[in-house]
Amino acid sequence: MALAFLYKAHYFFINLSFIFLLGFFFVFLSFSSPKQSSFLSFPPLSTNPDGCRSVESLNDAKTKCFYIETHHPCDTSGYIDYLNLFYCGFGFSPLLGHIVLVLWLLILLYLLGNTASQYFCPSLEGLSRVLKLSPTIAGVTLLSLGNGAPDVFSTIVSFDGAASVGLSSVLGGAFFVSTVVVGVISICCSSHCRVVAIDRVGFIRDLCFFLFTLFFLLLILSVGKVHILLSMIFVSLYILYVIVVSTSHCYRKEHAELGSPLLESIEVEQPAVQSQESKQIVKFSPLLDWVLFLLELPLYLPRRLTIPVVTEENWSKPFAVASMILSPNLLAILWNSRKGEMDSQESITVFLFAALIGIALGIIAIERTESSQPPKFILPWLAAGFLMSVVWTYLIAGELVSILVSIGHILGIRPSVLGVTVLAWGNSLGDLIANVAMAVNGGENGAQIAISGCYAGPIFNILIGLGTSLLFSSWASLPKPFQIPKDPSQFVIIGFLIGGLVWALVFLSRKQMKLNRSLGVGLIAIYSCFLCLRLLESLQLAYFGASEHV
């Protein structure tokens, strides 16, 4: 019953916050002047956090508002100019402005994780079944992408002008998962009076490859620039990891569950836990269910109407037809908005072309689908669902990075600090809940699967998420190398991260690979020390030598 109450309270808060903000913005737009409502805009292709630094040196909100409206110092990757909104829209009440931004930040974090779990992951799981991938390959490729989608897309988006945020969020997420999540799992297992021994070969393999990845990243950061060849090698390291895992799996088929970091197992077991919760929720209050359903519609409908879903439990022919019609139009809107030419002849042509494609796809969907069950040939539907979930995740991630950068400038905190804390925590909470639940309720192999996921996931996020970002950035910088923003605090994060991995390796090796409370307390203490240093830096009591432009 406690889980049911927390579940409902979480959704109630998120959806009620969105309704409040939506109503507030409508009222604000109705009673504001055109200048005050200029925070809504179509963004350019890049961000310029350095230009925002000039705003911080000004004194009062009115002066900052005038400077922002006349000079436009801050380009943004989002659709809302948050600095304009805060200083011009909420200049009369900074406290209300802070509340609105924090609520919107929480909603964006929820949308990012919910889109990945409800739309992105089902598409990947369906593609895995259709392509007949082995569990091991699926676990370290498609399903790892599903688990790490928020981190990956946040990193890719942030490298378009705010690379320090992307670097900090990936490293901060990896640090949080490999210390706090592993620590909580160890404490929970010992609290339940269970003696859990981790498979030595699989653990050492994953942890050593993790360390190798971090040392390679240290090399890149030390050089300070990356060529396209080096970025390709960095991404290709994950292919090497897949080969190592697959080879290990082939030699240890009888111990596959213990020998490989099968993130698929987490995905398979997780719905059972959610199902238990849903049964409790149904018994809780039918009236409250309806209230939550109505509150969730503004967050649910836009994605449901534009992302094709073909799972048995969520199949709906009306929604499927609508998604086929509307998804090309959404792509056209986003394409034209990014080019900044919403009323040109070219944009009108794009809109008409998208409308024709949408109508044609809608007619095909009406003729070739049934109301009772999903279509038998689902590969095109899965591909479309994958594409649109990527679009939505990328869109939300861009807005999330934009508001983090803006909050950093408003509070005078470097955006990279918010990336390694707020963004990393938001993207990692799902790992904390899923992995701890798996370790406690997943049977004798649950803890092994959870621990494996705590190392395989960060490896994927660093090599694929960060590696892809470096690859795109170095490609855009050709023929010159891409200059990585100088931020010595990144070396501090990696140092603490390596320290946590070494502590886990040494401790488990000396304790016959058995999880216990001492391991968990030590890992959480290492993370707490890092947070203390970050806090001292924010209070300007410590200095990592970070550049002013990160």
Side-chain angles (χ1 to χ4, degrees):
M1 189 62 68
L3 286 175
F5 178 78
L6 291 175
Y7 180 86
K8 283 188 174 293
H10 163 258
Y11 276 94
F12 185 79
F13 175 77
I14 291 294
N15 291 296
L16 191 62
S17 298
F18 181 74
I19 296 294
F20 164 74
L21 293 180
L22 195 63
F24 179 84
F25 282 130
F26 275 119
V27 172
F28 181 80
L29 289 172
S30 300
F31 292 96
S32 62
S33 63
K35 285 188 176 181
Q36 287 178 311
S37 58
S38 61
F39 60 85
L40 294 173
S41 61
F42 294 114
L45 288 173
S46 62
T47 59
N48 183 18
D50 292 347
C52 302
R53 294 289 175 183
S54 55
V55 179
E56 298 180 19
S57 60
L58 302 177
N59 296 323
D60 56 278
K62 184 177 295 185
T63 305
K64 293 179 179 180
C65 173
F66 178 78
Y67 184 82
I68 290 172
E69 290 184 337
T70 55
H71 292 78
H72 302 285
C74 306
D75 295 335
T76 174
S77 62
Y79 286 85
I80 300 176
D81 187 346
Y82 294 101
L83 291 180
N84 189 309
L85 172 65
F86 182 81
Y87 291 118
C88 300
F90 296 101
F92 64 93
S93 178
L95 177 60
L96 181 59
H98 283 101
I99 293 174
V100 168
L101 290 183
V102 169
L103 289 178
W104 184 236
L105 173 63
L106 294 176
I107 291 172
L108 289 174
L109 287 171
Y110 162 77
L111 285 175
L112 187 64
N114 183 261
T115 303
S117 63
Q118 298 298 319
Y119 299 97
F120 192 72
C121 288
S123 298
L124 290 177
E125 291 175 0
L127 287 172
S128 174
R129 289 192 297 269
V130 171
L131 298 176
K132 298 181 180 180
L133 298 178
S134 68
T136 304
I137 300 299
V140 297
T141 54
L142 293 181
L143 294 176
S144 293
L145 178 58
N147 288 338
D151 300 275
V152 170
F153 287 105
S154 298
T155 306
I156 293 175
V157 169
S158 65
F159 261 71
D160 191 12
S164 59
V165 176
L167 278 167
S168 299
S169 65
V170 169
L171 294 175
F175 188 30
F176 181 86
V177 171
S178 62
T179 53
V180 175
V181 178
V182 175
V184 172
I185 289 173
S186 302
I187 294 173
C188 288
C189 289
S190 62
S191 298
H192 285 73
C193 300
R194 294 168 54 195
V195 178
V196 178
I198 302 300
D199 176 62
R200 181 182 297 272
V201 175
F203 175 80
I204 293 177
R205 178 200 61 209
D206 294 342
L207 194 140
C208 288
F209 203 95
F210 198 173
L211 287 170
F212 173 73
T213 300
L214 292 175
F215 282 118
F216 200 100
L217 179 59
L218 270 176
L219 175 63
I220 295 176
L221 294 178
S222 299
V223 174
K225 57 185 178 181
V226 57
H227 295 269
I228 189 168
L229 180 60
L230 185 59
S231 59
M232 291 174 65
I233 294 174
F234 189 64
V235 175
S236 300
L237 289 179
Y238 196 76
I239 300 177
L240 176 62
Y241 178 61
V242 173
I243 294 174
V244 171
V245 171
S246 301
T247 304
S248 173
H249 174 72
C250 291
Y251 279 103
R252 309 177 67 203
K253 286 184 178 180
E254 67 277 11
H255 302 292
E257 291 183 354
L258 294 178
S260 58
L262 298 183
L263 300 186
E264 181 182 31
S265 302
I266 296 176
E267 295 297 324
V268 171
E269 294 291 340
Q270 195 173 350
V273 177
Q274 293 174 345
S275 177
Q276 292 172 9
E277 292 182 4
S278 63
K279 290 179 182 178
Q280 295 175 349
I281 292 168
V282 172
K283 296 179 182 178
F284 195 84
S285 171
L287 177 61
L288 187 55
D289 286 335
W290 273 102
V291 173
L292 285 176
F293 174 75
L294 293 176
L295 288 175
E296 193 178 8
L297 280 180
L299 293 175
Y300 171 78
L301 277 181
R303 293 174 294 161
R304 190 67 173 91
L305 290 172
T306 53
I307 304 178
V309 178
V310 288
T311 56
E312 290 281 351
E313 60 273 13
N314 294 320
W315 170 253
S316 170
K317 183 172 181 177
F319 275 120
V321 173
S323 65
M324 286 287 109
I325 296 174
L326 297 177
S327 55
N329 293 278
L330 175 61
L331 293 176
I333 293 173
L334 296 177
W335 173 265
N336 287 328
S337 67
R338 287 291 171 179
K339 295 187 68 176
E341 300 174 354
M342 292 296 293
D343 56 351
S344 66
Q345 181 101 20
E346 180 182 351
S347 65
I348 294 174
T349 303
V350 171
F351 281 129
L352 291 176
F353 185 67
L356 290 175
I357 293 179
I359 293 173
L361 292 176
I363 294 174
I364 294 174
I366 292 173
E367 295 294 328
R368 303 298 293 271
T369 59
E370 301 177 5
S371 300
S372 58
Q373 61 183 3
K376 294 181 179 179
F377 184 59
I378 64 172
L379 183 58
W381 291 88
L382 291 172
F386 175 79
L387 173 63
M388 294 310 300
S389 59
V390 166
V391 169
W392 270 101
T393 306
Y394 193 87
L395 180 66
I396 296 169
E399 208 64 44
L400 183 59
V401 171
S402 179
I403 192 174
L404 278 177
V405 172
S406 300
I407 290 176
H409 292 304
I410 291 171
L411 299 178
I413 301 173
R414 291 189 297 117
S416 60
V417 175
L418 295 176
V420 79
T421 52
V422 178
L423 184 56
W425 294 338
N427 290 341
S428 302
L429 283 179
D431 298 276
L432 175 63
I433 296 171
N435 290 353
V436 172
M438 171 61 66
V440 175
N441 304 315
E444 60 182 27
N445 293 331
Q448 172 64 47
I449 297 170
I451 293 294
S452 296
C454 289
Y455 295 113
I459 291 173
F460 179 88
N461 293 339
I462 293 175
L463 292 179
I464 299 299
L466 184 56
T468 303
S469 304
L470 292 173
L471 181 60
F472 289 165
S473 299
S474 58
W475 178 273
S477 300
L478 286 176
K480 297 181 180 179
F482 172 68
Q483 298 291 331
I484 300 175
K486 293 183 178 180
D487 186 358
S489 63
Q490 308 295 354
F491 295 95
V492 178
I493 302 174
I494 295 177
F496 273 94
L497 181 51
I498 292 175
L501 296 177
V502 172
W503 165 258
L505 178 61
V506 173
F507 188 92
L508 286 175
S509 298
R510 297 187 62 180
K511 296 295 182 178
Q512 290 76 47
M513 308 304 294
K514 296 178 181 178
L515 301 177
N516 61 31
R517 184 180 298 272
S518 299
L519 171 64
V521 171
L523 290 173
I524 294 176
I526 291 173
Y527 189 81
S528 300
C529 290
F530 169 76
L531 285 185
C532 289
L533 283 180
R534 275 299 195 183
L535 178 62
L536 291 175
E537 182 194 19
S538 300
L539 297 175
Q540 298 182 348
L541 298 178
Y543 182 61
F544 293 153
S547 171
E548 294 181 356
H549 302 291
V550 294

